[in-house]
Amino acid sequence: MKRVLIVGAGKGGTALLEMLYVADRMQVVAIIDHNQQAKGLELAKIYGIPTGSNWKEWMDEDVDIVIEVTGNEQVLDELMQTSHGKMIVIPGSIAYIIVELLDEKESLFRHIKTQMNHQHLILNNIRDGMIVVDNQGIVQFVNKSTERITGIAKEASVGKPITDLIAQSRLPHVLHSRVKEVNQKLLLENGKQVITTRIPMIDADGELVGAFAVFKDITEVMTLAEENTDLIEIKTMLEAIIHSSDEAISVVDENGKGIMINPAYTKITGLKEMDVVGKPANVDISEGESIHMEVLKTRKPVRGVRMKVGAAKRDVLVNVAPVIVDGKIKGSVGVLHDVSEIKALTNELKRARQIIRNLEAKYTFDDIIGDSPELKLALEQAKIGARTPAIVLLRGESGTGKELFAHAIHNESDRKHNKFIRVNCAAIAESILESELFGYEEGAFSGAKRGGKRGFFEEANMGSIFLDEIGELSLHTQAKLLRVLQENEIVRVGGTDPIPINVRIITATNVNLEKAIMNKTFREDLYYRLNRLPIYIPALQERKTDLPCLIEHIIEKINRDYGRHVRSISTKALLRLEKYHWPGNVRELENVIGRAIIYMDMNEEEINVEHIPDLDLASIKQNPEAQVSKIKHTRTSLKHAIENYEKQYIKKVYQQNNYNKTKTAKDLDVSIRNLYYKMSKYQIEKSNLQDLS
């Protein structure tokens, strides 16, 4: 190792010190400068190299090379004269050239190193794998993608023959033939498929240096291609299903642009694919808002919306559901139903339901909701009555559930497998009621069917008959019914021969029969026959503790009927309902909850106070004292005052219902027959009221 003495610790000396300090074959024995603040002296202290101010003190040392970098020719001459033996003195000018060359070398080295780092960075971050071998087939380089694709770590690859890593590699063949191979398929031992290009490396002198291979993993591509083929088949199948469906279907993308319609859609709307596909979702709407856009916005399905579509303004019912993939909305699918067809089907369904309702009981005691003591007492009495053949008289206000009790009694009895016939005595005109109840013989009256007709009692033989609104029967029909109860036989209208029957009779009324007996509108002997097993069904006002469970049951029922998703009712809304008098009982409660849900937004799940409609319609019943206090005292009888108030109240409700008698009767909680009677009594006519208004 050569020992070097540096004379001069300025810029040049400092640069030499930095360069020689890291040199393997040079050892700096000292650096000399008369300026003790020289930068080179400070650096030497850091490196642990001796320093001094007089170079002569170091000439006796075993120094091989003296480098003069002071730039002073006198110092150089003295060094040349003082040197001895094999000591070499290098002038400053030459030292500067050496420093510049070394700096240039260092700069070039750093540049080359940077380029190599960049190349390694690029090669290690490309998706394609790369392997480089020398002319003997020994692996010199692999990138990270090669490790990922082959599953072999770099440490286990470099320095090994390529055939040890990839037995079927053709790089040795390329080295031998010096011919490149482009885009060749290769199956690796780990099951992955690759496309590879192999190229020999030949230098400027024509010498073989090695070869490299670049390859791409196509396993995922092949899998995706297979999946894409499956998706195309599925898409083709779905399109075939949609186009063959009798349901009118339209599909839009996430932006509300039409994607697909089927022939049934064209049949209803009159619009073809060119009119819809690629167009906004509202292009087919004549009246109404786009349900597709609402569904895309809320991400929730919408069902049963009425609107008009197409140039002909076809009345349709629309159901639309979102298409969500991996949590992202991709579009929506709409199904249109022609309302005219639905009306026809609905009418058929109603007729079928009417037949079923007249032939069997739908409800059991499990369908009667409530845990209040008042209701439990009624249920216990009804269950006892169900096990006996005795006539049952269900009493209670309108809307309390008397019909449910009648169904349940039949289903609990030993006649449950036979017919259950229900008759609303107030809904059948008096002129035909007798023939409907007891039947008629051929020729009994004009229009009578050939061969006659069986009445309700004959239809119900061996089963049960439910006579609702029994208090509305005329005295004549009451006499006929009394004979049936006494003799267990009926005589058809126009006939003479009695027909024996075995029928369980269940009756119901909201009329005060005792008062009706006093007014001579109900037979006392019939009353005692019917009142053998009376069951009083409590009003909702008397069992308000049942409100929560009733509301929960009603919400579930309306959710099923309307396709809604309401879960509960708020505490404040429940408190408000508990304060109300409920003159319409459970029927009115169903009406209130149903209206609340109808007016709720589709995404709301809890009934709040603001959803509850106005509950002041029955104020005359819930606070009669307040109504009486508004009446000015006049010299008239109590009967006349009550009739006058009743007349005015009927007029007001009749007008509020736009002169609809059915709705008026419902709001007044009276039968339609009773309303007709009172309107005739008070001479209330639509024409008179309109003239006054």
Side-chain angles (χ1 to χ4, degrees):
M1 181 178 289
K2 300 295 183 182
R3 294 169 58 80
V4 180
L5 175 66
I6 300 174
V7 180
K11 181 179 179 182
T14 303
L16 279 171
L17 178 61
E18 288 179 339
M19 180 184 67
L20 296 175
Y21 179 73
V22 296
D24 293 336
R25 297 185 179 183
M26 299 286 184
Q27 178 186 0
V28 179
V29 297
I31 182 167
I32 309 299
D33 200 299
H34 66 274
N35 180 10
Q36 295 301 308
Q37 303 299 321
K39 187 176 180 181
L41 298 181
E42 294 178 0
L43 183 61
K45 292 176 181 178
I46 295 173
Y47 289 163
I49 296 174
T51 62
S53 59
N54 187 355
W55 54 269
K56 294 179 180 180
E57 296 177 358
W58 293 87
M59 295 301 288
D60 294 333
E61 295 287 333
D62 188 10
V63 175
D64 298 311
I65 300 172
V66 178
I67 302 176
E68 186 277 321
V69 286
T70 63
N72 190 325
E73 291 184 2
Q74 183 179 351
V75 174
L76 178 61
D77 291 341
E78 291 180 1
L79 283 170
M80 295 291 289
Q81 294 173 3
T82 309
S83 63
H84 56 80
K86 294 181 180 181
M87 182 183 295
I88 299 172
V89 178
I90 300 174
S93 57
I94 297 175
Y96 280 125
I97 293 173
I98 294 172
V99 169
E100 288 178 358
L101 290 173
L102 290 174
D103 282 344
E104 187 176 347
K105 175 187 175 184
E106 183 66 25
S107 176
L108 183 60
F109 177 76
R110 285 197 300 269
H111 179 69
I112 293 172
K113 187 175 181 180
T114 300
Q115 284 189 328
M116 290 180 64
N117 288 337
H118 287 169
Q119 290 173 354
H120 277 80
L121 184 63
I122 293 170
L123 293 175
N124 279 317
N125 283 278
I126 61 173
R127 291 283 298 172
D128 294 349
M130 176 177 281
I131 297 178
V132 180
V133 300
D134 62 14
N135 55 8
Q136 299 301 315
I138 305 301
V139 176
Q140 303 297 311
F141 171 81
V142 296
N143 66 352
K144 290 184 178 179
S145 292
T146 299
E147 295 182 86
R148 173 177 54 81
I149 296 172
T150 63
I152 303 173
K154 180 179 180 180
E155 294 77 12
S157 303
V158 176
K160 302 287 183 65
I162 183 63
T163 51
D164 287 357
L165 306 180
I166 304 173
Q168 62 272 45
S169 172
R170 286 182 57 81
L171 279 176
H173 177 75
V174 170
L175 289 172
H176 178 72
S177 67
R178 298 193 176 193
V179 178
K180 67 179 179 181
E181 297 179 350
V182 180
N183 295 335
Q184 301 295 307
K185 281 187 179 181
L186 178 65
L187 179 63
L188 300 180
E189 293 179 1
N190 60 6
K192 290 191 175 182
Q193 299 180 64
V194 298
I195 291 288
T196 180
T197 295
R198 310 175 187 97
I199 300 175
M201 296 187 296
I202 302 172
D203 64 13
D205 298 328
E207 295 294 328
L208 181 67
V209 177
F212 69 91
V214 179
F215 50 93
K216 183 187 296 291
D217 185 0
I218 62 169
T219 307
E220 295 180 3
V221 176
M222 296 297 291
T223 303
L224 287 173
E226 293 172 358
E227 291 179 355
N228 189 48
T229 302
D230 293 341
L231 287 174
I232 292 173
E233 292 178 356
I234 293 170
K235 180 176 180 291
T236 304
M237 185 182 297
L238 288 175
E239 287 179 349
I241 293 171
I242 290 173
H243 280 80
S244 64
S245 173
D246 291 334
E247 301 286 353
I249 299 172
S250 69
V251 185
V252 304
D253 63 17
E254 65 269 27
N255 299 314
K257 300 291 185 181
I259 297 177
M260 183 191 303
I261 61 172
N262 65 348
Y265 177 92
T266 300
K267 182 179 178 182
I268 289 180
T269 64
L271 299 172
K272 300 179 180 178
E273 284 193 0
M274 60 182 294
D275 303 318
V276 177
V277 175
K279 304 293 178 61
N282 58 0
V283 70
D284 59 344
I285 300 174
S286 300
E287 294 181 15
E289 299 294 331
S290 173
I291 307 304
H292 275 300
M293 298 309 296
E294 181 180 344
V295 168
L296 291 175
K297 182 179 179 181
T298 62
R299 299 166 62 96
K300 293 186 177 180
V302 175
R303 302 183 183 279
V305 177
R306 293 282 291 271
M307 62 171 52
K308 296 184 183 297
V309 296
K313 296 184 177 181
R314 197 72 170 265
D315 197 7
V316 297
L317 201 64
V318 181
N319 297 330
V320 180
V323 178
I324 299 175
V325 181
D326 294 333
K328 294 182 179 180
I329 189 80
K330 292 296 183 181
S332 58
V333 179
V335 179
L336 283 63
H337 301 279
D338 192 340
V339 171
S340 59
E341 295 181 5
I342 294 175
K343 285 181 179 178
L345 292 173
T346 301
N347 290 334
E348 291 182 12
L349 181 60
K350 284 182 177 178
R351 287 194 293 271
R353 283 179 174 175
Q354 183 65 35
I355 294 171
I356 293 171
R357 188 164 55 247
N358 287 336
L359 296 180
E360 64 180 22
K362 296 187 295 181
Y363 308 108
T364 67
F365 285 117
D366 292 335
D367 295 309
I368 301 174
I369 308 300
D371 295 317
S372 62
E374 294 82 1
L375 184 66
K376 284 185 176 180
L377 176 61
L379 286 170
E380 290 174 4
Q381 292 175 330
K383 289 176 181 178
I384 292 172
R387 294 191 291 269
T388 67
I391 298 172
V392 174
L393 175 60
L394 301 171
R395 306 192 66 168
E397 297 178 8
S398 179
T400 52
K402 296 187 290 295
E403 184 169 340
L404 264 70
F405 270 80
H407 283 245
I409 289 171
H410 172 78
N411 277 328
E412 191 78 7
S413 70
D414 55 5
R415 298 173 181 260
K416 62 183 177 182
H417 298 299
N418 296 315
K419 292 181 181 180
F420 176 79
I421 304 296
R422 58 180 300 275
V423 183
N424 189 331
C425 300
I428 303 175
E430 177 65 30
S431 58
I432 63 170
L433 180 59
E434 183 179 351
S435 61
E436 289 294 321
L437 286 174
F438 309 119
Y440 58 82
E441 296 289 356
E442 181 178 343
F445 49 83
S446 60
K449 289 183 179 181
R450 180 176 298 178
K453 178 186 175 183
R454 288 154 56 96
F456 290 136
F457 275 96
E458 285 185 76
E459 291 289 348
N461 195 32
M462 304 307 295
S464 302
I465 188 169
F466 172 47
L467 302 176
D468 197 6
E469 304 287 2
I470 193 74
E472 301 296 330
L473 290 177
S474 66
L475 290 171
H476 173 73
T477 308
Q478 290 177 34
K480 292 273 189 178
L481 178 60
L482 181 62
R483 173 178 173 81
V484 175
L485 301 181
Q486 289 176 336
E487 307 298 335
N488 290 326
E489 62 184 23
I490 58 103
V491 177
R492 291 184 179 180
V493 175
T496 56
D497 297 329
I499 301 173
I501 56 170
N502 180 2
V503 177
R504 167 66 180 274
I505 298 175
I506 305 170
T507 62
T509 183
N510 61 356
V511 174
N512 188 328
L513 296 181
E514 292 78 10
K515 184 177 179 181
I517 292 172
M518 294 176 61
N519 294 335
K520 299 189 182 302
T521 59
F522 201 84
R523 293 178 62 104
E524 187 174 3
D525 48 1
L526 177 60
Y527 168 78
Y528 289 123
R529 279 281 183 180
L530 299 177
N531 202 41
R532 186 164 298 171
L533 183 55
I535 299 174
Y536 174 73
I537 302 174
L540 186 55
Q541 173 70 14
E542 299 170 8
R543 58 183 189 105
K544 285 189 176 180
T545 55
D546 290 336
L547 270 176
C549 56
L550 281 170
I551 292 171
E552 181 182 356
H553 175 75
I554 293 169
I555 288 174
E556 290 178 1
K557 180 178 182 294
I558 294 174
N559 281 341
R560 290 194 303 269
D561 294 343
Y562 294 173
R564 301 296 291 270
H565 303 282
V566 179
R567 295 182 182 277
S568 61
I569 184 170
S570 69
T571 303
K572 289 184 178 180
L574 181 59
L575 288 174
R576 180 174 180 183
L577 296 180
E578 288 177 345
K579 292 178 181 179
Y580 184 50
H581 180 69
W582 297 111
N585 293 293
V586 179
R587 186 181 294 119
E588 183 180 7
L589 176 63
E590 289 181 343
N591 187 20
V592 168
I593 299 300
R595 276 187 289 167
I597 292 177
I598 288 172
Y599 288 117
M600 290 171 65
D601 290 338
M602 292 299 296
N603 58 349
E604 291 183 290
E605 297 183 348
E606 183 178 69
I607 301 174
N608 295 316
V609 175
E610 59 267 22
H611 300 135
I612 304 298
D614 185 15
L615 297 177
D616 294 330
L617 289 176
S619 58
I620 184 172
K621 288 189 175 183
Q622 72 170 349
N623 193 0
E625 293 82 7
Q627 298 296 323
V628 172
S629 65
K630 296 178 183 178
I631 302 174
K632 295 182 179 179
H633 174 68
T634 56
R635 290 181 176 274
T636 183
S637 67
L638 176 61
K639 179 180 179 182
H640 180 72
I642 292 173
E643 289 179 345
N644 184 55
Y645 185 86
E646 185 177 50
K647 177 181 178 181
Q648 298 303 322
Y649 190 71
I650 292 173
K651 283 182 178 180
K652 181 179 179 181
V653 177
Y654 188 36
Q655 287 175 319
Q656 288 176 345
N657 282 293
N658 198 24
Y659 308 107
N660 185 308
K661 293 178 181 178
T662 302
K663 291 183 178 179
T664 302
K666 185 176 180 180
D667 282 354
L668 293 173
D669 283 338
V670 298
S671 67
I672 190 70
R673 285 180 59 197
N674 199 359
L675 177 64
Y676 274 99
Y677 165 75
K678 291 183 182 293
M679 291 181 70
S680 175
K681 174 182 177 181
Y682 297 131
Q683 297 182 348
I684 300 173
E685 297 292 340
K686 177 180 178 181
S687 57
N688 296 338
L689 295 177
Q690 287 177 325
D691 292 341
L692 290 174
S693 61

